[in-house]
Amino acid sequence: MDAMTDTTAFDADPVEFYGTRVGSRLLLGTAQYPSPAILAEAIRGSGAEIVTVSLRRESGVAKPGQPLAGQSFWQLIRDLGVKVLPNTAGCKTVKEAVTTAEMARELFGTPWVKLEVIGEDDTLQPDVFGLVEAARILSRDGFQVFPYTTEDLIVAEKLLSAGCEVLMPWGAPIGSGRGLNNPYGLRSLRAHFPRVPLVVDAGLGLPSHAAAAMEMGYDAVLLNTAVAKAGDPVRMARAFARAIEAGRDAVIADPMEVRDMAAPSTPVMGRAVFGE
């Protein structure tokens, strides 16, 4: 059974990244799961068609007398039938990120790369200056870059000018579970770039956080820790899938406007009037 068999997501409402259409709007990370079997079941339960993979869990060369490092993990991902989005997790310099991306393209056979250039250790905030520079180099070399960035509008403009066709602003620091720290900034980003695929990446802890991102009009959500570190990762993966679907349905349905005053839901015209 591949990842599409158990999906609850959006086959009739696909999202497109660099010309590739996918049905699920949930992108799932593959780190920190209790076991490979639970990882596989969580991916199936989520319906995710794209998973992120760190190059640091793979190796192209085996030691004498030992199996290829990461080979069983890579086989598991292949058996699930999902698309791989390699990432440059942990890279702190442009050179390191570019080199890691080049190695990932050779190993995984894809031009896709989730580009991370980390600038601060405590928050894992992106180094946006290095990010733009690395994005320009990789785009020029034929990569299709998914940049992990902030919600800053100027940085977004520079990333698009550097060749990116997708933006992935953080919701909150990686692994924090805080949700959407700056709703105003995220809404502004969506409003300024209505035709650019936008993915909220990092910091989500609850399905309600993912639903809120989708209700803002975001195209997808990428998460890892909230599922991997849950008491029941498979159930949590399913919960996120349903929340994302609900948020997407809500924004398509054209929600009512927020009001300052009450508005009666029951008409008052024609109501019986009783004398005293």
Side-chain angles (χ1 to χ4, degrees), residues 1-188:
M1 181 173 68
D2 64 24
M4 290 297 294
T5 304
D6 195 29
T7 182
T8 59
F10 315 97
D11 292 336
D13 180 30
V15 61
E16 186 171 307
F17 301 121
Y18 289 101
T20 297
R21 291 159 67 89
V22 293
S24 174
R25 293 171 181 267
L26 172 57
L27 288 65
L28 200 61
T30 56
Q32 306 183 73
Y33 286 82
S35 71
I38 291 176
L39 166 62
E41 285 304 308
I43 292 173
R44 291 191 184 101
S46 72
E49 297 174 53
I50 299 173
V51 299
T52 62
V53 176
S54 171
L55 184 64
R56 284 167 169 73
R57 287 195 297 279
E58 298 293 334
S59 173
V61 180
K63 296 180 180 179
Q66 295 183 8
L68 184 65
Q71 189 175 55
S72 59
F73 173 82
W74 183 219
Q75 188 59 50
L76 179 152
I77 296 299
R78 287 184 176 183
D79 290 345
L80 288 167
V82 292
K83 296 175 177 62
V84 173
L85 176 59
N87 67 40
T88 63
C91 292
K92 295 183 177 181
T93 68
V94 172
K95 182 178 180 180
E96 186 182 9
V98 169
T99 301
T100 301
E102 290 169 344
M103 293 170 63
R105 180 167 62 179
E106 181 176 349
L107 180 62
F108 296 109
T110 176
W112 282 10
V113 63
K114 178 190 170 186
L115 180 61
E116 296 184 23
V117 182
I118 301 301
E120 206 278 326
D121 288 336
D122 290 333
T123 63
L124 299 180
Q125 180 169 329
D127 170 3
V128 294
F129 304 101
L131 182 68
V132 171
E133 183 180 350
R136 183 174 292 109
I137 293 169
L138 291 172
S139 296
R140 196 164 51 225
D141 195 29
F143 282 88
Q144 296 172 342
V145 180
F146 295 66
Y148 165 62
T149 183
T150 66
E151 65 277 22
D152 187 281
L153 297 177
I154 307 304
V155 174
E157 287 278 12
K158 291 186 179 300
L159 286 168
L160 295 174
S161 297
C164 298
E165 296 180 14
V166 178
L167 298 174
M168 301 179 68
W170 65 345
I174 294 171
S176 68
R178 295 181 59 85
L180 306 179
N181 269 357
N182 185 3
Y184 171 80
L186 291 170
R187 288 193 185 95
S188 296

